[in-house]
Short mmCIF file of all heavy atoms in Angstrom, two decimals:
data_model
loop_
_atom_site.label_atom_id
_atom_site.label_comp_id
_atom_site.label_asym_id
_atom_site.label_seq_id
_atom_site.Cartn_x
_atom_site.Cartn_y
_atom_site.Cartn_z
N MET A 1 -7.99 -22.75 5.66
CA MET A 1 -7.80 -21.43 6.26
C MET A 1 -8.55 -21.48 7.62
O MET A 1 -9.77 -21.70 7.59
CB MET A 1 -8.44 -20.39 5.35
CG MET A 1 -8.21 -19.03 5.76
SD MET A 1 -8.86 -17.62 4.65
CE MET A 1 -9.36 -18.50 3.18
N VAL A 2 -7.75 -21.23 8.68
CA VAL A 2 -8.33 -21.41 10.05
C VAL A 2 -8.39 -20.05 10.73
O VAL A 2 -7.36 -19.28 10.61
CB VAL A 2 -7.50 -22.48 10.82
CG1 VAL A 2 -7.93 -22.42 12.29
CG2 VAL A 2 -7.46 -23.77 10.19
N SER A 3 -9.41 -19.84 11.43
CA SER A 3 -9.44 -18.61 12.29
C SER A 3 -9.66 -19.06 13.70
O SER A 3 -10.38 -20.04 13.99
CB SER A 3 -10.56 -17.61 11.79
OG SER A 3 -11.76 -18.20 11.93
N GLY A 4 -9.15 -18.19 14.70
CA GLY A 4 -9.48 -18.41 16.02
C GLY A 4 -8.82 -19.54 16.70
O GLY A 4 -9.40 -20.03 17.75
N THR A 5 -7.69 -19.90 16.30
CA THR A 5 -6.86 -20.88 17.06
C THR A 5 -6.66 -20.44 18.48
O THR A 5 -6.87 -21.18 19.46
CB THR A 5 -5.57 -21.27 16.33
OG1 THR A 5 -5.84 -21.68 15.04
CG2 THR A 5 -4.79 -22.33 17.18
N HIS A 6 -6.22 -19.27 18.53
CA HIS A 6 -6.19 -18.55 19.85
C HIS A 6 -7.42 -17.54 19.84
O HIS A 6 -7.51 -16.69 18.96
CB HIS A 6 -4.93 -17.73 20.08
CG HIS A 6 -3.68 -18.61 20.05
ND1 HIS A 6 -2.59 -18.42 19.25
CD2 HIS A 6 -3.48 -19.75 20.79
CE1 HIS A 6 -1.70 -19.39 19.58
NE2 HIS A 6 -2.23 -20.16 20.50
N GLY A 7 -8.30 -17.72 20.76
CA GLY A 7 -9.62 -17.02 20.73
C GLY A 7 -9.63 -15.63 20.29
O GLY A 7 -10.32 -15.26 19.43
N PRO A 8 -8.84 -14.72 20.87
CA PRO A 8 -8.93 -13.27 20.53
C PRO A 8 -8.53 -13.08 19.10
O PRO A 8 -8.85 -12.00 18.53
CB PRO A 8 -7.91 -12.55 21.55
CG PRO A 8 -7.88 -13.53 22.77
CD PRO A 8 -8.05 -14.92 22.03
N GLU A 9 -7.81 -13.93 18.48
CA GLU A 9 -7.42 -13.75 17.11
C GLU A 9 -8.54 -14.08 16.11
O GLU A 9 -8.40 -13.88 14.86
CB GLU A 9 -6.23 -14.61 16.73
CG GLU A 9 -4.94 -14.34 17.63
CD GLU A 9 -3.91 -15.36 17.52
OE1 GLU A 9 -4.16 -16.50 17.00
OE2 GLU A 9 -2.79 -15.09 18.07
N GLY A 10 -9.59 -14.63 16.65
CA GLY A 10 -10.70 -15.03 15.89
C GLY A 10 -11.31 -13.82 15.07
O GLY A 10 -11.85 -14.04 13.97
N TYR A 11 -11.34 -12.67 15.65
CA TYR A 11 -11.91 -11.53 14.98
C TYR A 11 -11.19 -11.25 13.70
O TYR A 11 -11.83 -11.07 12.60
CB TYR A 11 -11.94 -10.34 15.92
CG TYR A 11 -12.61 -10.55 17.24
CD1 TYR A 11 -11.89 -10.95 18.39
CD2 TYR A 11 -14.01 -10.55 17.35
CE1 TYR A 11 -12.55 -11.20 19.57
CE2 TYR A 11 -14.63 -10.84 18.54
CZ TYR A 11 -13.90 -11.13 19.64
OH TYR A 11 -14.51 -11.43 20.86
N CYS A 12 -9.87 -11.02 13.73
CA CYS A 12 -9.11 -10.70 12.56
C CYS A 12 -9.03 -11.89 11.57
O CYS A 12 -9.10 -11.78 10.38
CB CYS A 12 -7.76 -10.12 12.83
SG CYS A 12 -6.77 -11.32 13.77
N GLY A 13 -9.07 -13.12 12.16
CA GLY A 13 -9.04 -14.30 11.34
C GLY A 13 -10.25 -14.52 10.51
O GLY A 13 -10.30 -14.82 9.37
N ALA A 14 -11.34 -14.27 11.27
CA ALA A 14 -12.73 -14.33 10.55
C ALA A 14 -12.86 -13.25 9.49
O ALA A 14 -13.37 -13.46 8.37
CB ALA A 14 -13.84 -14.25 11.55
N ALA A 15 -12.32 -12.03 9.78
CA ALA A 15 -12.41 -10.95 8.78
C ALA A 15 -11.63 -11.35 7.54
O ALA A 15 -11.94 -11.06 6.46
CB ALA A 15 -11.89 -9.70 9.47
N GLY A 16 -10.47 -11.98 7.77
CA GLY A 16 -9.60 -12.47 6.67
C GLY A 16 -10.36 -13.46 5.80
O GLY A 16 -10.29 -13.40 4.58
N GLN A 17 -10.99 -14.47 6.52
CA GLN A 17 -11.71 -15.40 5.74
C GLN A 17 -12.87 -14.79 4.93
O GLN A 17 -13.08 -15.09 3.74
CB GLN A 17 -12.25 -16.47 6.69
CG GLN A 17 -11.25 -17.31 7.31
CD GLN A 17 -11.86 -18.22 8.37
OE1 GLN A 17 -12.68 -17.75 9.20
NE2 GLN A 17 -11.37 -19.49 8.41
N LEU A 18 -13.58 -13.84 5.59
CA LEU A 18 -14.69 -13.19 4.90
C LEU A 18 -14.24 -12.38 3.67
O LEU A 18 -14.78 -12.37 2.54
CB LEU A 18 -15.46 -12.27 5.87
CG LEU A 18 -16.66 -11.62 5.35
CD1 LEU A 18 -17.75 -12.61 4.85
CD2 LEU A 18 -17.25 -10.70 6.54
N ALA A 19 -13.10 -11.67 3.87
CA ALA A 19 -12.52 -10.92 2.75
C ALA A 19 -12.09 -11.78 1.64
O ALA A 19 -12.29 -11.43 0.52
CB ALA A 19 -11.33 -10.06 3.34
N PHE A 20 -11.53 -12.95 1.99
CA PHE A 20 -11.12 -13.88 0.97
C PHE A 20 -12.32 -14.31 0.10
O PHE A 20 -12.27 -14.42 -1.11
CB PHE A 20 -10.48 -15.12 1.63
CG PHE A 20 -10.03 -16.23 0.68
CD1 PHE A 20 -8.75 -16.14 0.11
CD2 PHE A 20 -10.83 -17.21 0.34
CE1 PHE A 20 -8.36 -17.27 -0.81
CE2 PHE A 20 -10.47 -18.16 -0.51
CZ PHE A 20 -9.20 -18.21 -1.13
N LEU A 21 -13.33 -14.69 0.83
CA LEU A 21 -14.63 -15.17 0.14
C LEU A 21 -15.31 -14.03 -0.67
O LEU A 21 -15.70 -14.29 -1.82
CB LEU A 21 -15.48 -15.81 1.11
CG LEU A 21 -14.98 -17.11 1.84
CD1 LEU A 21 -15.89 -17.50 2.96
CD2 LEU A 21 -14.91 -18.20 0.71
N GLN A 22 -15.38 -12.92 -0.03
CA GLN A 22 -16.09 -11.74 -0.66
C GLN A 22 -15.30 -11.29 -1.94
O GLN A 22 -15.92 -10.94 -2.95
CB GLN A 22 -16.25 -10.57 0.22
CG GLN A 22 -17.28 -10.82 1.23
CD GLN A 22 -17.49 -9.64 2.30
OE1 GLN A 22 -16.45 -8.91 2.60
NE2 GLN A 22 -18.67 -9.50 2.77
N ALA A 23 -14.00 -11.45 -1.91
CA ALA A 23 -13.19 -11.08 -3.09
C ALA A 23 -13.17 -12.23 -4.14
O ALA A 23 -12.66 -12.00 -5.25
CB ALA A 23 -11.74 -10.78 -2.69
N ARG A 24 -13.78 -13.33 -3.78
CA ARG A 24 -13.94 -14.50 -4.63
C ARG A 24 -12.59 -14.98 -5.14
O ARG A 24 -12.44 -15.45 -6.20
CB ARG A 24 -14.87 -14.17 -5.80
CG ARG A 24 -16.29 -13.58 -5.38
CD ARG A 24 -17.21 -13.34 -6.44
NE ARG A 24 -17.92 -14.44 -6.90
CZ ARG A 24 -18.97 -14.96 -6.29
NH1 ARG A 24 -19.36 -14.36 -5.21
NH2 ARG A 24 -19.57 -15.96 -6.77
N PHE A 25 -11.59 -14.91 -4.20
CA PHE A 25 -10.25 -15.39 -4.62
C PHE A 25 -10.27 -16.90 -4.90
O PHE A 25 -9.48 -17.41 -5.71
CB PHE A 25 -9.26 -15.09 -3.47
CG PHE A 25 -8.74 -13.73 -3.44
CD1 PHE A 25 -8.80 -13.07 -2.14
CD2 PHE A 25 -8.35 -12.96 -4.54
CE1 PHE A 25 -8.35 -11.72 -2.07
CE2 PHE A 25 -8.01 -11.69 -4.42
CZ PHE A 25 -7.98 -11.07 -3.17
N HIS A 26 -11.22 -17.67 -4.33
CA HIS A 26 -11.28 -19.06 -4.61
C HIS A 26 -11.62 -19.40 -6.01
O HIS A 26 -11.25 -20.43 -6.50
CB HIS A 26 -12.36 -19.76 -3.66
CG HIS A 26 -13.66 -19.11 -3.78
ND1 HIS A 26 -14.00 -17.85 -3.18
CD2 HIS A 26 -14.83 -19.51 -4.35
CE1 HIS A 26 -15.27 -17.60 -3.57
NE2 HIS A 26 -15.80 -18.66 -4.20
N GLU A 27 -12.27 -18.48 -6.70
CA GLU A 27 -12.57 -18.66 -8.10
C GLU A 27 -11.29 -18.65 -9.00
O GLU A 27 -11.45 -19.20 -10.10
CB GLU A 27 -13.60 -17.71 -8.59
CG GLU A 27 -14.89 -17.85 -7.86
CD GLU A 27 -16.04 -16.79 -8.31
OE1 GLU A 27 -15.64 -15.88 -9.13
OE2 GLU A 27 -17.09 -16.89 -7.82
N GLY A 28 -10.27 -18.08 -8.44
CA GLY A 28 -9.03 -18.12 -9.32
C GLY A 28 -8.16 -19.29 -9.06
O GLY A 28 -7.12 -19.36 -9.68
N LEU A 29 -8.56 -20.21 -8.26
CA LEU A 29 -7.80 -21.36 -7.95
C LEU A 29 -7.95 -22.43 -9.11
O LEU A 29 -9.00 -22.50 -9.77
CB LEU A 29 -8.22 -22.06 -6.62
CG LEU A 29 -7.96 -21.20 -5.41
CD1 LEU A 29 -8.65 -21.89 -4.20
CD2 LEU A 29 -6.50 -20.93 -5.15
N PRO A 30 -6.88 -23.25 -9.33
CA PRO A 30 -7.06 -24.26 -10.30
C PRO A 30 -8.19 -25.25 -9.88
O PRO A 30 -8.44 -25.42 -8.66
CB PRO A 30 -5.72 -24.91 -10.34
CG PRO A 30 -5.02 -24.44 -9.12
CD PRO A 30 -5.59 -23.20 -8.76
N SER A 31 -8.75 -25.85 -10.83
CA SER A 31 -9.89 -26.88 -10.49
C SER A 31 -9.38 -28.05 -9.62
O SER A 31 -10.19 -28.61 -8.98
CB SER A 31 -10.48 -27.45 -11.79
OG SER A 31 -9.52 -28.15 -12.55
N SER A 32 -8.05 -28.25 -9.56
CA SER A 32 -7.59 -29.28 -8.72
C SER A 32 -7.37 -28.90 -7.23
O SER A 32 -6.99 -29.63 -6.35
CB SER A 32 -6.29 -29.89 -9.22
OG SER A 32 -5.32 -28.78 -9.26
N ALA A 33 -7.61 -27.57 -6.97
CA ALA A 33 -7.42 -27.01 -5.71
C ALA A 33 -8.76 -26.72 -4.96
O ALA A 33 -9.70 -26.58 -5.58
CB ALA A 33 -6.61 -25.76 -5.80
N ALA A 34 -8.68 -26.68 -3.57
CA ALA A 34 -9.82 -26.35 -2.89
C ALA A 34 -9.44 -25.60 -1.64
O ALA A 34 -8.28 -25.62 -1.30
CB ALA A 34 -10.61 -27.68 -2.45
N VAL A 35 -10.28 -24.85 -1.05
CA VAL A 35 -10.07 -24.12 0.12
C VAL A 35 -11.07 -24.63 1.21
O VAL A 35 -12.25 -24.80 0.97
CB VAL A 35 -10.28 -22.59 0.00
CG1 VAL A 35 -10.14 -21.91 1.25
CG2 VAL A 35 -9.34 -22.10 -1.04
N LEU A 36 -10.51 -24.98 2.39
CA LEU A 36 -11.33 -25.32 3.49
C LEU A 36 -11.26 -24.28 4.56
O LEU A 36 -10.10 -23.94 5.01
CB LEU A 36 -10.85 -26.70 4.10
CG LEU A 36 -11.51 -27.10 5.48
CD1 LEU A 36 -12.99 -27.40 5.09
CD2 LEU A 36 -10.87 -28.41 5.95
N CYS A 37 -12.45 -23.65 4.84
CA CYS A 37 -12.40 -22.62 5.83
C CYS A 37 -12.91 -23.07 7.13
O CYS A 37 -14.02 -23.56 7.20
CB CYS A 37 -13.25 -21.37 5.41
SG CYS A 37 -12.67 -20.47 4.11
N ILE A 38 -12.13 -22.99 8.20
CA ILE A 38 -12.59 -23.45 9.50
C ILE A 38 -12.78 -22.11 10.42
O ILE A 38 -11.69 -21.50 10.65
CB ILE A 38 -11.63 -24.42 10.12
CG1 ILE A 38 -11.47 -25.68 9.25
CG2 ILE A 38 -12.07 -24.82 11.54
CD1 ILE A 38 -10.40 -26.62 9.69
N TYR A 39 -13.98 -21.83 10.70
CA TYR A 39 -14.21 -20.58 11.40
C TYR A 39 -14.18 -20.95 12.94
O TYR A 39 -14.78 -21.88 13.38
CB TYR A 39 -15.66 -20.06 11.02
CG TYR A 39 -16.16 -18.96 11.83
CD1 TYR A 39 -15.75 -17.62 11.65
CD2 TYR A 39 -17.10 -19.23 12.80
CE1 TYR A 39 -16.20 -16.68 12.49
CE2 TYR A 39 -17.63 -18.15 13.65
CZ TYR A 39 -17.12 -16.93 13.39
OH TYR A 39 -17.63 -15.86 14.12
N ALA A 40 -13.42 -20.10 13.69
CA ALA A 40 -13.42 -20.26 15.13
C ALA A 40 -13.00 -21.59 15.56
O ALA A 40 -13.78 -22.37 16.23
CB ALA A 40 -14.72 -19.75 15.82
N LEU A 41 -11.83 -22.03 15.16
CA LEU A 41 -11.37 -23.34 15.59
C LEU A 41 -11.56 -23.53 17.12
O LEU A 41 -11.94 -24.63 17.53
CB LEU A 41 -9.94 -23.47 15.15
CG LEU A 41 -9.17 -24.86 15.55
CD1 LEU A 41 -9.85 -26.00 14.87
CD2 LEU A 41 -7.72 -24.82 15.26
N ASN A 42 -11.09 -22.60 17.84
CA ASN A 42 -11.19 -22.56 19.29
C ASN A 42 -12.39 -21.66 19.70
O ASN A 42 -12.23 -20.59 20.11
CB ASN A 42 -9.88 -22.11 19.91
CG ASN A 42 -9.94 -21.94 21.50
OD1 ASN A 42 -10.89 -22.33 22.09
ND2 ASN A 42 -8.93 -21.37 22.01
N CYS A 43 -13.52 -22.28 19.53
CA CYS A 43 -14.70 -21.37 19.68
C CYS A 43 -14.90 -20.98 21.11
O CYS A 43 -15.40 -19.97 21.46
CB CYS A 43 -15.98 -22.13 19.27
SG CYS A 43 -16.24 -23.81 19.92
N TYR A 44 -14.44 -21.80 22.12
CA TYR A 44 -14.54 -21.39 23.47
C TYR A 44 -13.57 -20.18 23.77
O TYR A 44 -14.01 -19.14 24.36
CB TYR A 44 -13.96 -22.60 24.47
CG TYR A 44 -13.87 -22.22 25.86
CD1 TYR A 44 -14.90 -22.28 26.68
CD2 TYR A 44 -12.65 -21.69 26.35
CE1 TYR A 44 -14.83 -21.88 28.12
CE2 TYR A 44 -12.53 -21.26 27.68
CZ TYR A 44 -13.60 -21.40 28.47
OH TYR A 44 -13.42 -20.99 29.83
N GLY A 45 -12.40 -20.31 23.24
CA GLY A 45 -11.44 -19.06 23.42
C GLY A 45 -11.99 -17.88 22.63
O GLY A 45 -11.83 -16.78 23.12
N PHE A 46 -12.62 -18.07 21.61
CA PHE A 46 -13.16 -16.88 20.76
C PHE A 46 -14.36 -16.33 21.62
O PHE A 46 -14.42 -15.04 21.75
CB PHE A 46 -13.71 -17.41 19.51
CG PHE A 46 -13.96 -16.40 18.44
CD1 PHE A 46 -14.46 -16.68 17.17
CD2 PHE A 46 -13.72 -15.05 18.70
CE1 PHE A 46 -14.65 -15.77 16.21
CE2 PHE A 46 -14.03 -14.07 17.69
CZ PHE A 46 -14.42 -14.49 16.41
N ALA A 47 -15.26 -17.15 22.09
CA ALA A 47 -16.29 -16.50 22.91
C ALA A 47 -15.88 -15.83 24.18
O ALA A 47 -16.44 -14.91 24.63
CB ALA A 47 -17.23 -17.72 23.27
N TRP A 48 -14.77 -16.37 24.87
CA TRP A 48 -14.39 -15.85 26.17
C TRP A 48 -13.12 -15.07 26.05
O TRP A 48 -12.43 -14.72 27.14
CB TRP A 48 -14.26 -16.98 27.18
CG TRP A 48 -15.52 -17.61 27.48
CD1 TRP A 48 -16.05 -18.79 26.92
CD2 TRP A 48 -16.51 -17.11 28.31
NE1 TRP A 48 -17.30 -19.07 27.31
CE2 TRP A 48 -17.66 -17.94 28.24
CE3 TRP A 48 -16.67 -16.04 29.11
CZ2 TRP A 48 -18.89 -17.84 28.99
CZ3 TRP A 48 -17.81 -15.84 29.84
CH2 TRP A 48 -18.90 -16.78 29.76
N ASP A 49 -12.64 -14.73 24.97
CA ASP A 49 -11.34 -13.96 24.63
C ASP A 49 -10.21 -14.63 25.45
O ASP A 49 -9.45 -14.03 26.18
CB ASP A 49 -11.40 -12.54 25.12
CG ASP A 49 -12.06 -11.69 24.01
OD1 ASP A 49 -11.99 -12.02 22.86
OD2 ASP A 49 -12.66 -10.62 24.34
N ARG A 50 -10.04 -15.89 25.26
CA ARG A 50 -8.97 -16.65 25.91
C ARG A 50 -8.10 -17.40 24.90
O ARG A 50 -8.59 -17.81 23.84
CB ARG A 50 -9.64 -17.77 26.85
CG ARG A 50 -10.56 -17.25 27.94
CD ARG A 50 -10.02 -17.19 29.40
NE ARG A 50 -8.80 -17.86 29.67
CZ ARG A 50 -8.72 -19.03 30.31
NH1 ARG A 50 -9.79 -19.73 30.58
NH2 ARG A 50 -7.58 -19.59 30.60
N ARG A 51 -6.87 -17.40 25.14
CA ARG A 51 -6.00 -18.07 24.25
C ARG A 51 -6.19 -19.65 24.15
O ARG A 51 -5.95 -20.20 23.19
CB ARG A 51 -4.51 -17.74 24.67
CG ARG A 51 -3.47 -18.26 23.81
CD ARG A 51 -2.08 -17.88 24.33
NE ARG A 51 -1.01 -18.52 23.61
CZ ARG A 51 -0.45 -17.87 22.54
NH1 ARG A 51 -0.95 -16.70 22.03
NH2 ARG A 51 0.55 -18.46 21.81
N VAL A 52 -6.56 -20.15 25.30
CA VAL A 52 -6.70 -21.58 25.42
C VAL A 52 -8.15 -21.96 25.19
O VAL A 52 -9.07 -21.14 25.16
CB VAL A 52 -6.25 -22.07 26.87
CG1 VAL A 52 -4.80 -21.69 27.03
CG2 VAL A 52 -7.15 -21.33 27.96
N ASN A 53 -8.36 -23.30 25.10
CA ASN A 53 -9.62 -23.83 24.87
C ASN A 53 -10.32 -24.14 26.24
O ASN A 53 -9.71 -23.82 27.28
CB ASN A 53 -9.70 -25.02 23.95
CG ASN A 53 -9.00 -26.29 24.51
OD1 ASN A 53 -8.64 -26.34 25.73
ND2 ASN A 53 -8.83 -27.34 23.67
N ALA A 54 -11.48 -24.77 26.28
CA ALA A 54 -12.20 -25.03 27.53
C ALA A 54 -11.37 -25.86 28.49
O ALA A 54 -11.62 -25.82 29.71
CB ALA A 54 -13.50 -25.61 27.21
N GLU A 55 -10.53 -26.69 27.90
CA GLU A 55 -9.72 -27.59 28.74
C GLU A 55 -8.32 -26.92 29.17
O GLU A 55 -7.45 -27.60 29.76
CB GLU A 55 -9.36 -28.87 28.11
CG GLU A 55 -10.54 -29.77 27.92
CD GLU A 55 -11.54 -29.37 26.85
OE1 GLU A 55 -11.08 -28.82 25.78
OE2 GLU A 55 -12.81 -29.56 26.97
N GLY A 56 -8.20 -25.66 28.85
CA GLY A 56 -6.91 -24.94 29.19
C GLY A 56 -5.79 -25.31 28.25
O GLY A 56 -4.66 -24.97 28.63
N CYS A 57 -6.10 -25.83 27.07
CA CYS A 57 -5.06 -26.20 26.18
C CYS A 57 -4.86 -25.16 25.09
O CYS A 57 -5.75 -24.66 24.44
CB CYS A 57 -5.38 -27.57 25.51
SG CYS A 57 -4.25 -28.19 24.22
N ASP A 58 -3.61 -24.74 24.93
CA ASP A 58 -3.23 -23.85 23.78
C ASP A 58 -2.99 -24.74 22.57
O ASP A 58 -2.05 -25.52 22.53
CB ASP A 58 -1.92 -23.08 24.16
CG ASP A 58 -1.51 -22.14 23.04
OD1 ASP A 58 -1.82 -22.38 21.90
OD2 ASP A 58 -0.89 -21.18 23.39
N LEU A 59 -3.96 -24.74 21.75
CA LEU A 59 -4.00 -25.67 20.49
C LEU A 59 -2.76 -25.49 19.67
O LEU A 59 -2.46 -26.44 18.95
CB LEU A 59 -5.31 -25.46 19.73
CG LEU A 59 -6.52 -25.70 20.50
CD1 LEU A 59 -7.74 -25.28 19.64
CD2 LEU A 59 -6.62 -27.14 20.94
N ASN A 60 -2.14 -24.31 19.65
CA ASN A 60 -0.97 -24.08 18.80
C ASN A 60 0.32 -24.44 19.51
O ASN A 60 1.37 -24.42 18.94
CB ASN A 60 -0.92 -22.63 18.41
CG ASN A 60 -0.24 -22.41 17.06
OD1 ASN A 60 -0.34 -23.36 16.22
ND2 ASN A 60 0.37 -21.33 16.80
N ARG A 61 0.21 -24.78 20.79
CA ARG A 61 1.52 -25.16 21.51
C ARG A 61 1.47 -26.53 22.03
O ARG A 61 2.49 -27.03 22.42
CB ARG A 61 1.69 -24.16 22.63
CG ARG A 61 1.78 -22.71 22.31
CD ARG A 61 3.09 -22.38 21.76
NE ARG A 61 3.29 -20.93 21.49
CZ ARG A 61 3.00 -20.28 20.41
NH1 ARG A 61 2.40 -21.01 19.41
NH2 ARG A 61 3.04 -19.02 20.29
N ASN A 62 0.34 -27.13 22.13
CA ASN A 62 0.17 -28.46 22.68
C ASN A 62 -0.50 -29.31 21.69
O ASN A 62 -1.59 -29.34 21.48
CB ASN A 62 -0.64 -28.47 23.94
CG ASN A 62 -0.05 -27.52 25.00
OD1 ASN A 62 1.00 -27.85 25.60
ND2 ASN A 62 -0.67 -26.35 25.17
N PHE A 63 0.35 -30.15 21.01
CA PHE A 63 -0.18 -31.11 20.01
C PHE A 63 0.68 -32.27 19.98
O PHE A 63 1.86 -32.37 20.53
CB PHE A 63 -0.24 -30.42 18.66
CG PHE A 63 1.20 -30.01 18.16
CD1 PHE A 63 1.99 -30.84 17.43
CD2 PHE A 63 1.60 -28.71 18.53
CE1 PHE A 63 3.21 -30.36 17.04
CE2 PHE A 63 2.90 -28.31 18.14
CZ PHE A 63 3.69 -29.08 17.41
N ILE A 64 0.22 -33.35 19.39
CA ILE A 64 0.85 -34.64 19.27
C ILE A 64 1.55 -34.65 17.90
O ILE A 64 0.85 -34.41 16.96
CB ILE A 64 -0.01 -35.85 19.48
CG1 ILE A 64 -0.57 -35.89 20.89
CG2 ILE A 64 0.75 -37.09 19.18
CD1 ILE A 64 -1.75 -36.86 21.08
N ASP A 65 2.82 -34.78 17.85
CA ASP A 65 3.56 -34.99 16.65
C ASP A 65 3.47 -36.50 16.27
O ASP A 65 4.17 -37.29 16.73
CB ASP A 65 5.03 -34.58 16.76
CG ASP A 65 5.88 -34.73 15.48
OD1 ASP A 65 5.29 -35.14 14.38
OD2 ASP A 65 6.95 -34.24 15.48
N PHE A 66 2.59 -36.84 15.38
CA PHE A 66 2.30 -38.22 14.95
C PHE A 66 3.44 -38.77 14.12
O PHE A 66 3.43 -40.03 13.76
CB PHE A 66 0.92 -38.38 14.37
CG PHE A 66 -0.24 -38.21 15.30
CD1 PHE A 66 -0.93 -37.11 15.44
CD2 PHE A 66 -0.43 -39.26 16.12
CE1 PHE A 66 -1.89 -36.90 16.32
CE2 PHE A 66 -1.49 -39.08 17.13
CZ PHE A 66 -2.29 -37.99 17.18
N SER A 67 4.39 -37.84 13.62
CA SER A 67 5.46 -38.46 12.81
C SER A 67 6.57 -39.04 13.85
O SER A 67 7.44 -39.68 13.39
CB SER A 67 6.18 -37.38 12.06
OG SER A 67 6.78 -36.36 12.83
N GLN A 68 6.43 -38.76 15.12
CA GLN A 68 7.29 -39.25 16.15
C GLN A 68 6.62 -40.42 16.90
O GLN A 68 5.40 -40.43 16.99
CB GLN A 68 7.72 -38.12 17.11
CG GLN A 68 8.25 -36.95 16.48
CD GLN A 68 9.73 -37.28 15.74
OE1 GLN A 68 10.53 -37.97 16.36
NE2 GLN A 68 9.83 -36.87 14.59
N ARG A 69 7.42 -41.16 17.59
CA ARG A 69 6.83 -42.26 18.37
C ARG A 69 6.09 -41.68 19.57
O ARG A 69 6.56 -40.75 20.19
CB ARG A 69 8.01 -43.06 18.82
CG ARG A 69 7.61 -44.26 19.79
CD ARG A 69 8.86 -44.93 20.26
NE ARG A 69 8.45 -45.88 21.32
CZ ARG A 69 9.08 -46.94 21.63
NH1 ARG A 69 10.19 -47.30 20.91
NH2 ARG A 69 8.67 -47.73 22.55
N THR A 70 4.91 -42.28 19.90
CA THR A 70 4.14 -41.86 21.03
C THR A 70 4.02 -43.04 21.94
O THR A 70 4.03 -44.19 21.49
CB THR A 70 2.80 -41.35 20.62
OG1 THR A 70 2.01 -42.37 20.02
CG2 THR A 70 2.86 -40.16 19.64
N ARG A 71 3.80 -42.74 23.16
CA ARG A 71 3.62 -43.83 24.16
C ARG A 71 2.34 -44.71 23.84
O ARG A 71 2.38 -45.83 23.88
CB ARG A 71 3.51 -43.21 25.62
CG ARG A 71 3.41 -44.23 26.62
CD ARG A 71 3.41 -43.64 28.03
NE ARG A 71 3.26 -42.19 27.97
CZ ARG A 71 2.77 -41.43 29.04
NH1 ARG A 71 2.49 -42.07 30.11
NH2 ARG A 71 2.64 -40.16 28.88
N GLU A 72 1.35 -43.98 23.38
CA GLU A 72 0.06 -44.61 23.09
C GLU A 72 0.16 -45.50 21.84
O GLU A 72 -0.40 -46.59 21.72
CB GLU A 72 -1.03 -43.64 22.88
CG GLU A 72 -1.40 -42.86 24.11
CD GLU A 72 -0.47 -41.70 24.49
OE1 GLU A 72 0.35 -41.35 23.66
OE2 GLU A 72 -0.48 -41.31 25.64
N SER A 73 0.95 -45.05 20.79
CA SER A 73 1.01 -45.81 19.55
C SER A 73 1.93 -47.06 19.78
O SER A 73 1.69 -48.01 19.04
CB SER A 73 1.60 -44.99 18.42
OG SER A 73 2.96 -44.69 18.68
N GLY A 74 2.83 -47.08 20.68
CA GLY A 74 3.71 -48.19 20.79
C GLY A 74 4.69 -48.43 19.67
O GLY A 74 5.24 -49.39 19.54
N LEU A 75 4.76 -47.38 18.77
CA LEU A 75 5.60 -47.50 17.61
C LEU A 75 7.02 -47.10 17.93
O LEU A 75 7.30 -46.34 18.73
CB LEU A 75 5.02 -46.68 16.45
CG LEU A 75 3.65 -47.01 16.03
CD1 LEU A 75 3.16 -46.08 14.92
CD2 LEU A 75 3.66 -48.45 15.39
ZN1 LIG B 1 -2.24 -17.37 17.57
#
């Protein structure tokens, strides 16, 4: 569960994470399941109310699809 991929969304995302934990929903999960909470994934964007990170990258729009051939992989 990730919050703050786009900085300004970090407020509602963090509230959702907190509500999830306070309601103890994780206790209802099967023992084979786990929840990983990542708070403020784009901490720069969260701090500065910016969609992009410190490098100007929109983390949700600019990513490498590792299932496809990349120039770096030479695959
Ligand atoms: Zn977003």
Side-chain angles (χ1 to χ4, degrees):
M1 187 176 355
V2 176
S3 68
T5 303
H6 296 132
E9 298 166 352
Y11 303 101
C12 61
Q17 290 174 318
L18 185 59
F20 179 88
L21 294 170
Q22 286 179 329
R24 307 182 83 77
F25 285 133
H26 56 288
E27 293 179 357
L29 295 173
S31 61
S32 60
V35 175
L36 173 64
C37 289
I38 301 175
Y39 171 77
L41 176 67
N42 174 9
C43 53
Y44 172 89
F46 197 178
W48 295 99
D49 277 338
R50 303 256 345 260
R51 183 179 177 86
V52 296
N53 68 6
E55 288 77 35
C57 178
D58 181 332
L59 299 174
N60 209 31
R61 301 285 187 271
N62 301 286
F63 58 92
I64 296 172
D65 182 356
F66 287 103
S67 70
Q68 303 296 315
R69 178 183 170 152
T70 65
R71 187 173 11 156
E72 292 78 15
S73 72
L75 299 174

